[in-house]
């Protein structure tokens, strides 16, 4: 039997349980004796803590304890960085609870443990906090003045400058025939998870064991941090992954609560649960994306890109969190996108401000940089009188140039190269899908109250390398097999995908893959997690490895029993047989288990193109999407159905960031968007007309499955594509959007400015 | 975001409900659909000691259509208005405006009385009540009274309602049926997502006289300032005039000049000023079409 589950649109195994209401999220857990944790968060953006008085709160019936920094002998532990843990960042890392200073609205000050969340919230109002306010550093411009400093001992608000370097940009600029200079920015948004975060901890005092539910993304790494902070051996802690309602890079990183709740459980020797509410989700989970760039692009007169140079500034918020540096690095490293740019010199500064700290959000740095480069390409095309599609085609990296090296990043000396692909093919395909020759006749036309416009943008999506992933297969009594993984699920459908991979490799029916267990630290010896579009590539390849070892183990066991060479043993779904027809039922080997691992230092790069047709109402600034096509070559699509979900989902998130979502603060660092009435998330009716096309023309050469990470392609180029379409629609006003989100006010202002300029001329 | 503690009562007569409210002298609140009150309590912006649920009160769920106009009981829900076929002719402006209120789930619960009492400056129904010169019937411990919409909305989330008073009915003056063709109307609003509170909205109607000139012009705006309001100066510009592109354009500009919007996180004041002008222009254009 030869299976073809890989490549088939197999329905998600997970769905049956979810649709029947049998999903189990961390909030569904309620062991006996449970206490509910509620967190008091700073309402002041920047200040010195004078006192936190919990006496009155403790008197409220139903309040069991209130924990503050004073309960932590030796002071609150610091959360170490996971990615780019440079010594320069050390002083800026976040303590698990504020003890001397608060640096953002939302920073934890105390944890109330109570009989119910409602009583806990009553108690919050009874805690008396005295904070001596300091002037707030509300954005990077203020930070750069270095007048008010978040970390006084550092003498500066800048934690680092990443440098992206390739060739010698200064020399090129000195003699370039054409240079365009622009200042642009992207708004602050975040990976809003429909299920907010949650942690439940249980302390078994007799056995000295801690069980932490609600783990996600990187449970093994987080266990390492927690073990150190709480002074327990790693193997005394179990991190348990439950069903997870969305990750997007933000969930599953180590946050203050990931220490506070286990600490509280041990402190009071009772199970303790904390479920983030939506307000907290908006102000406590990692923010992302807020950057400003001042860039120059040099071109030959035929539009050939020669060099990029400039500065990018990221508004980091108050602390360097676990993966906080990734966006600021990526925005510099991937500024050239899928384009051939021989000379690059970008300085990317990380500025500490009195806002919620940043971390990665799906397509970190790439969404921002794609907006910058794609906007500039359209402006350059206009200046040079070259068709913007042609300009892109000319500058896209060709298949012959692969593997293609991009800028090197300092101080980490990180190099990277794209693995394979014909980028022009996806551009050509997207134009064909949207019927470009026909719809392009509408460009800039006013029909009724609305102008029509088209936008196009190309992208690469990096994925999948880094720490080893491990998988283990175990034969069950009934002859089915269970798959155990260290990687985790954040709702992306990995149970289905891993079952497909295992069933194909074993040449067994899907039903024989009974369970796919993932994400908890007790399943395999080591693991890493779900981030950077890596689960399928790394975990999937590990499953493949494990199936090889599993089959070898069966052959070996079979050889012993059948008294023949292992190589001569045949395995079918039911029986193990030898060369002379002797055989025994496979299930007699129940308990047999084998592990496999996959390690890879190189990244995969899937790639593609977006094309969009919009209308813009110039008087009210409303954008409507008439048609949107996303084409992505993913090397190999294990499951086109779940992949399509990833593509459309990430595209909607990208459009949310491009048009609606914006985390706002005032100049005192007060957070203005603490509910979903203020932070506008796209809903099902906002972007109905989205299509996607999956290509598999260039398999990845660097993993046995030939797959490439593919969860971010929709988000990366959405800002650039839509902004280009708006510029194209409003060309008669000379509109060039230079910031996201494209709010009605901003579009209206651009149109007004255009009208005024025309009137003056 | 959990509710603070409160007591709950579910009286079966209006008299008892009023008595319950009166006994708490301002520390009790009526509960209708809960779609505004519950979020306020969850955010702990409102912390009433007692909630008086109106759901068992008789006679508040009816929509009456007669020669006297349209009467909406306080417990009539958005869904009821949407489903009532009579309103398409009995009050097309009402029906058009209510189509913009909130989302499916909220529309199944939100009520006429709740919307009026909550008095969100961007809410549609208060805008319609004001534009149409409706009256609001209420019952308190001193007995029943009616309050003109013009006197009812005092500011953002502030009304002329006393702490012990319950809204029983909204009374909209009759919409001309015999002269249906001479009554022109339009409703326009803009929200960034469907179902959100409007950034601004405009309700407009006028009657055509024998020479096809406008008379009896009413223009009301929502989402601008702290309460819904009419634009008397703009209305005056239209009365006695033919409604054509030129007059509409003039009126749109005058509207922008007449309103006093403010900056907020969703839009700048300048944008809102222009937006209202555009909405007036579009409401009048659709009315004239
Ligand atoms: C996401 C969302 C979007 C929304 N969008 C819109 C929108 O676009 N347009 C819009 O107009 N509204 C919108 N709303 C509000 C919604 O229409 C509410 O239902 C309405 O404003 C209040 O009605 P309710 O019956 O739910 O009142 P409740 O929430 O029960 O009560 C609101 C207030 O009115 C008082 N009250 C209620 N009934 C009476 C009465 N009979 N007499 C005296 N006082 C009374 C209560 O004490 C309370 O103070 C939205 C709400 C949500 C949650």
């Amino acid at each position: 039997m030869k299976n073809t589950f890989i490549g088939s649109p197999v329905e998600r195994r997970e769905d049956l349980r979810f649709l029947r209401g049998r999903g189990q999220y961390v909030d569904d857990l309620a062991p006996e004796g449970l206490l509910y944790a509620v967190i008091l968060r700073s309402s002041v953006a920047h200040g010195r803590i004078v006192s936190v008085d919990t006496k009155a709160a403790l008197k409220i019936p139903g309040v069991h304890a209130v924990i503050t920094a004073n309960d932590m002998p030796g002071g609150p532990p610091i959360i170490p960085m996971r990615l780019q843990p440079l010594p320069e960042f050390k002083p800026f890392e976040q303590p698990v609870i504020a003890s001397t200073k608060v640096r953002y609205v939302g920073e934890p000050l105390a944890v109330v443990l109570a009989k119910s969340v409602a009583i806990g919230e009553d108690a919050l109002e009874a805690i008396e906090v005295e904070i001596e306010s300091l002037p707030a550093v509300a954005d990077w411009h203020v930070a750069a003045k270095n007048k008010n400093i978040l970390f006084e001992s550092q003498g500066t608000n800048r934690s680092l400058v990443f440098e992206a370097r390739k060739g010698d940009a200064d020399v090129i600029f000195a003699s370039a025939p054409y240079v365009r200079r622009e200042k642009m920015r992207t708004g602050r948004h975040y990976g809003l998870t429909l299920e907010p975060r949650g942690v439940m901890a249980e302390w078994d005092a007799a056995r000295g064991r801690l069980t932490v539910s609600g783990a996600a993304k990187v449970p093994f790494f987080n266990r390492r941090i927690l073990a150190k902070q709480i002074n327990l051996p790693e193997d005394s802690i179990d991190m348990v992954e439950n069903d997870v309602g969305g990750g997007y890079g933000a969930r599953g990183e180590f946050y203050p609560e990931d220490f506070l709740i286990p600490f509280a459980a041990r402190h009071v020797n009772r199970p303790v649960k904390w479920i983030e509410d939506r307000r907290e989700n908006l102000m406590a989970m990692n923010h992302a994306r807020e950057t400003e760039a001042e860039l120059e692009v040099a071109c030959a007169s035929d539009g050939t890109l020669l060099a990029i140079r400039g500065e990018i500034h990221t508004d980091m918020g108050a602390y360097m969190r676990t993966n906080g540096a990734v966006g600021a690095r990526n925005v510099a490293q991937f500024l050239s996108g899928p384009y051939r740019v021989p000379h690059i010199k970008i300085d990317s500064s990380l500025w500490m401000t009195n806002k919620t700290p940043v971390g990665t959000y799906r397509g970190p740095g790439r969404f921002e940089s794609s907006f910058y480069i794609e906007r500039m390409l359209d402006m350059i095309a206009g200046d040079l009188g070259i068709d913007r599609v042609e300009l892109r085609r000319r500058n896209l990296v060709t298949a012959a140039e692969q593997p293609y090296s991009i800028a090197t990043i300092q101080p980490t000396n990180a190099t990277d190269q794209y693995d394979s692909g014909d980028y022009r093919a996806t551009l050509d395909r997207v134009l064909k899908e949207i019927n470009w020759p026909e719809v392009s006749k509408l460009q800039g036309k006013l029909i009724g109250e609305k102008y029509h416009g088209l936008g196009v943008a190309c992208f690469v999506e990096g994925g999948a390398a880094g720490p080893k992933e491990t998988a283990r297969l175990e034969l069950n009594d009934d002859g089915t097999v269970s798959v155990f993984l260290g990687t985790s699920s954040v709702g992306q459908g990995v149970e289905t995908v891993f079952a497909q991979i295992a069933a194909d490799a074993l040449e067994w029916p899907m039903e024989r893959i009974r369970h796919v267990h993932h994400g908890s630290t007790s399943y395999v010896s080591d693991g890493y997690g779900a981030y950077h579009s890596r689960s399928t590539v790394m975990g999937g390849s590990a499953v493949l490895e494990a199936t090889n070892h599993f089959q070898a183990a069966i052959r070996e066991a079979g050889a012993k029993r059948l008294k023949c060479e292992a190589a001569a043993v045949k395995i079918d779904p039911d029986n193990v047989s030898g060369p002379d027809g002797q055989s025994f039922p496979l299930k007699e080997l129940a308990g047999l288990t084998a592990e496999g691992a996959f390690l890879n230092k190189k990244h995969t790069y899937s790639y593609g193109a977006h094309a969009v047709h919009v209308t813009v109402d110039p008087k009210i600034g409303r954008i409507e999407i008439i048609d949107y096509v996303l084409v992505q070559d993913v090397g190999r699509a294990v499951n086109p159905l779940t992949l399509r979900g990833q593509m459309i989902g990430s595209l909607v998130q990208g459009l949310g960031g491009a048009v609606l979502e914006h985390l706002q603060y005032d100049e005192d660092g007060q957070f203005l968007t603490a509910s979903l009435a203020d932070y506008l998330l796209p809903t099902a009716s906002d972007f109905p007309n989205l299509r996607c096309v999956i290509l598999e023309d260039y398999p990845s050469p660097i993993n046995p499955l030939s797959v490439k990470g593919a969860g971010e392609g929709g988000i990366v180029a959405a800002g650039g594509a839509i902004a280009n379409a708006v510029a194209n629609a409003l060309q008669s006003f000379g509109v060039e959007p230079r910031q996201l989100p494209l709010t009605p006010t901003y579009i209206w202002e651009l149109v007004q400015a255009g009208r005024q300029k025309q009137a003056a001329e | 975001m959990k509710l603070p503690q409160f007591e709950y009562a579910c009286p079966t007569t209006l008299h008892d409900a009023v008595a319950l409210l009166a006994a708490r002298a301002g520390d009790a609140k009526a509960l209708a659909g809960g779609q505004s009150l519950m979020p306020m309590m969850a955010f702990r912006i409102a912390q009433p000691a007692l909630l008086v649920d109106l759901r068992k009160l008789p006679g508040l769920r009816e929509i009456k259509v007669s020669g006297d106009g349209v009467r909406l009981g306080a417990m009539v829900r958005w869904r009821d208005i949407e489903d009532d076929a009579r309103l398409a002719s009995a009050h097309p402006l009402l029906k058009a405006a209510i189509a913009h209120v909130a989302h499916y789930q909220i529309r199944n619960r939100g009520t006429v009385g709740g919307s009026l009492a909550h008095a969100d400056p961007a809410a549609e129904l208060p805008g319609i009540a004001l534009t149409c010169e409706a009256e609001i019937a209420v019952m308190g411990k001193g007995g029943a009274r009616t309050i003109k919409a013009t006197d009812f909305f005092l500011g953002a989330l502030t009304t002329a309602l006393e702490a012990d008073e319950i809204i029983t009915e909204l009374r909209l003056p009759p919409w001309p049926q015999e002269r249906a063709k001479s009554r022109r109307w339009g409703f326009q609003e803009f929200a960034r997502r469907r179902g959100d509170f409007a950034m601004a909205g405009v309700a407009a109607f006028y009657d055509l006289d024998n020479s096809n000139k406008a008379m009896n012009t009413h223009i009301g705006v929502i989402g601008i300032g702290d309460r819904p309001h009419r634009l008397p100066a703009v209305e005056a510009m239209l009365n006695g005039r033919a409604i054509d592109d030129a007059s509409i354009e003039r009126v749109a500009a005058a509207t922008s000049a007449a309103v006093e919007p403010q900056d907020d996180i969703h839009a700048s004041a300048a944008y809102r000023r222009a937006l209202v002008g555009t909405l007036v222009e579009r409401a009048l254009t659709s009315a004239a079409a």
Side-chain angles (χ1 to χ4, degrees), chain A residues 744-757:
Chain A
T745 299
Y746 180 54
I747 290 175
W748 174 80
E749 283 169 356
L750 291 174
V751 170
Q752 286 306 103
R755 284 189 210 270
Q756 273 154 19
K757 207 165 149 217

Short mmCIF file of all heavy atoms in Angstrom, two decimals, chain A residues 744-757:
data_model
loop_
_atom_site.label_atom_id
_atom_site.label_comp_id
_atom_site.label_asym_id
_atom_site.label_seq_id
_atom_site.Cartn_x
_atom_site.Cartn_y
_atom_site.Cartn_z
N PRO A 744 -9.60 55.91 8.30
CA PRO A 744 -10.37 56.87 7.51
C PRO A 744 -9.81 58.29 7.66
O PRO A 744 -9.72 59.02 6.67
CB PRO A 744 -11.78 56.76 8.10
CG PRO A 744 -11.85 55.39 8.66
CD PRO A 744 -10.46 55.07 9.15
N THR A 745 -9.45 58.64 8.88
CA THR A 745 -8.91 59.99 9.08
C THR A 745 -7.65 60.21 8.25
O THR A 745 -7.50 61.22 7.58
CB THR A 745 -8.58 60.23 10.57
OG1 THR A 745 -9.77 60.10 11.34
CG2 THR A 745 -8.00 61.62 10.79
N TYR A 746 -6.75 59.22 8.28
CA TYR A 746 -5.48 59.38 7.56
C TYR A 746 -5.72 59.50 6.05
O TYR A 746 -5.15 60.36 5.38
CB TYR A 746 -4.57 58.20 7.88
CG TYR A 746 -3.23 58.26 7.20
CD1 TYR A 746 -2.41 59.39 7.32
CD2 TYR A 746 -2.77 57.21 6.41
CE1 TYR A 746 -1.18 59.45 6.68
CE2 TYR A 746 -1.55 57.26 5.78
CZ TYR A 746 -0.75 58.38 5.91
OH TYR A 746 0.46 58.45 5.28
N ILE A 747 -6.59 58.65 5.52
CA ILE A 747 -6.84 58.69 4.07
C ILE A 747 -7.49 60.02 3.69
O ILE A 747 -7.12 60.67 2.71
CB ILE A 747 -7.71 57.50 3.65
CG1 ILE A 747 -6.86 56.23 3.77
CG2 ILE A 747 -8.22 57.67 2.23
CD1 ILE A 747 -7.60 54.97 3.49
N TRP A 748 -8.42 60.44 4.51
CA TRP A 748 -9.09 61.72 4.24
C TRP A 748 -8.07 62.87 4.28
O TRP A 748 -8.09 63.75 3.42
CB TRP A 748 -10.21 61.93 5.27
CG TRP A 748 -10.85 63.27 5.18
CD1 TRP A 748 -11.82 63.65 4.29
CD2 TRP A 748 -10.57 64.41 5.99
NE1 TRP A 748 -12.16 64.95 4.51
CE2 TRP A 748 -11.40 65.45 5.55
CE3 TRP A 748 -9.69 64.65 7.05
CZ2 TRP A 748 -11.39 66.73 6.12
CZ3 TRP A 748 -9.67 65.91 7.64
CH2 TRP A 748 -10.51 66.93 7.17
N GLU A 749 -7.18 62.83 5.25
CA GLU A 749 -6.16 63.88 5.33
C GLU A 749 -5.27 63.90 4.08
O GLU A 749 -4.93 64.96 3.57
CB GLU A 749 -5.26 63.67 6.57
CG GLU A 749 -5.94 64.09 7.87
CD GLU A 749 -5.18 63.65 9.11
OE1 GLU A 749 -4.14 62.94 8.99
OE2 GLU A 749 -5.62 63.99 10.21
N LEU A 750 -4.92 62.71 3.60
CA LEU A 750 -4.08 62.64 2.40
C LEU A 750 -4.82 63.24 1.19
O LEU A 750 -4.24 63.96 0.38
CB LEU A 750 -3.68 61.20 2.10
CG LEU A 750 -2.71 60.54 3.08
CD1 LEU A 750 -2.54 59.06 2.74
CD2 LEU A 750 -1.36 61.24 3.08
N VAL A 751 -6.10 62.91 1.10
CA VAL A 751 -6.90 63.45 -0.01
C VAL A 751 -7.01 64.97 0.11
O VAL A 751 -6.84 65.70 -0.87
CB VAL A 751 -8.30 62.79 -0.05
CG1 VAL A 751 -9.21 63.51 -1.04
CG2 VAL A 751 -8.19 61.31 -0.38
N GLN A 752 -7.26 65.43 1.34
CA GLN A 752 -7.35 66.88 1.56
C GLN A 752 -6.05 67.57 1.15
O GLN A 752 -6.08 68.60 0.47
CB GLN A 752 -7.61 67.19 3.05
CG GLN A 752 -9.00 66.91 3.51
CD GLN A 752 -10.04 67.61 2.66
OE1 GLN A 752 -10.68 66.98 1.82
NE2 GLN A 752 -10.18 68.92 2.83
N ALA A 753 -4.93 67.00 1.59
CA ALA A 753 -3.63 67.60 1.25
C ALA A 753 -3.46 67.64 -0.25
O ALA A 753 -2.98 68.63 -0.82
CB ALA A 753 -2.51 66.80 1.92
N GLY A 754 -3.88 66.56 -0.92
CA GLY A 754 -3.78 66.51 -2.37
C GLY A 754 -4.64 67.58 -3.03
O GLY A 754 -4.21 68.28 -3.96
N ARG A 755 -5.85 67.73 -2.55
CA ARG A 755 -6.76 68.74 -3.11
C ARG A 755 -6.18 70.13 -2.92
O ARG A 755 -6.22 70.96 -3.83
CB ARG A 755 -8.11 68.70 -2.38
CG ARG A 755 -9.02 67.55 -2.75
CD ARG A 755 -10.40 67.80 -2.11
NE ARG A 755 -11.11 66.57 -1.79
CZ ARG A 755 -11.94 65.95 -2.64
NH1 ARG A 755 -12.15 66.43 -3.84
NH2 ARG A 755 -12.55 64.84 -2.27
N GLN A 756 -5.64 70.37 -1.71
CA GLN A 756 -5.10 71.70 -1.45
C GLN A 756 -3.90 72.00 -2.33
O GLN A 756 -3.75 73.11 -2.84
CB GLN A 756 -4.71 71.83 0.04
CG GLN A 756 -5.89 72.28 0.89
CD GLN A 756 -5.78 71.84 2.33
OE1 GLN A 756 -4.68 71.52 2.80
NE2 GLN A 756 -6.89 71.81 3.03
N LYS A 757 -3.07 70.99 -2.55
CA LYS A 757 -1.90 71.19 -3.38
C LYS A 757 -2.34 71.51 -4.82
O LYS A 757 -1.81 72.42 -5.46
CB LYS A 757 -1.05 69.91 -3.36
CG LYS A 757 0.41 70.18 -3.62
CD LYS A 757 1.25 68.98 -3.24
CE LYS A 757 2.47 68.94 -4.16
NZ LYS A 757 2.86 67.60 -4.52
#
